[in-house]
Amino acid sequence: DAAADQAWSLLLRTGQTGAAFKRDPDLSHEERFVTKLLRAAIGQPPVILVDRPGMLLPDLHYPPYLEALLGKLADTLNDCWILDYTWNAPLYPNR
């Protein structure tokens, strides 16, 4: 019950509660990305690495989406690194 409550709470925070009862083939790209990120976050690793997010989120302008999503999970994630092609650097705000 505690794990289900934690998962539901994270889905609620990210606005993806619709993904809760779907099987993987039925998930949208966005839902699949969020559920993968949340599965990683629950394990509380020191670093979560997102490799080439454009391949995982082909339907979204992903840099602002990632910024908003990671902001919603800021207190849950230890550190999240995004690896992307160098030519996509202008898409990200300077940090």
Side-chain angles (χ1 to χ4, degrees):
D1 287 343
D5 289 344
Q6 181 184 20
W8 183 259
S9 172
L10 290 170
L11 286 169
L12 189 62
R13 286 171 61 181
T14 59
Q16 295 295 331
T17 56
F21 303 106
K22 291 182 181 178
R23 307 277 296 171
D24 184 66
D26 301 325
L27 294 172
S28 68
H29 293 291
E30 182 180 353
E31 290 169 332
R32 187 171 293 113
F33 179 82
V34 170
T35 55
K36 286 179 179 183
L37 181 64
L38 296 182
R39 285 179 90 187
I42 287 171
Q44 297 182 330
V47 175
I48 293 175
L49 177 66
V50 179
D51 185 18
R52 293 172 295 170
M55 298 194 61
L56 300 168
L57 298 165
D59 303 332
L60 293 174
H61 181 56
Y62 58 90
Y65 174 77
L66 289 174
E67 186 172 0
L69 177 63
L70 296 175
K72 292 175 186 176
L73 299 171
D75 64 330
T76 304
L77 303 174
N78 290 325
D79 206 359
C80 185
W81 298 355
I82 300 171
L83 262 66
D84 207 343
Y85 296 108
T86 54
W87 56 79
N88 284 335
L91 298 175
Y92 295 94
N94 293 330
R95 296 195 181 261

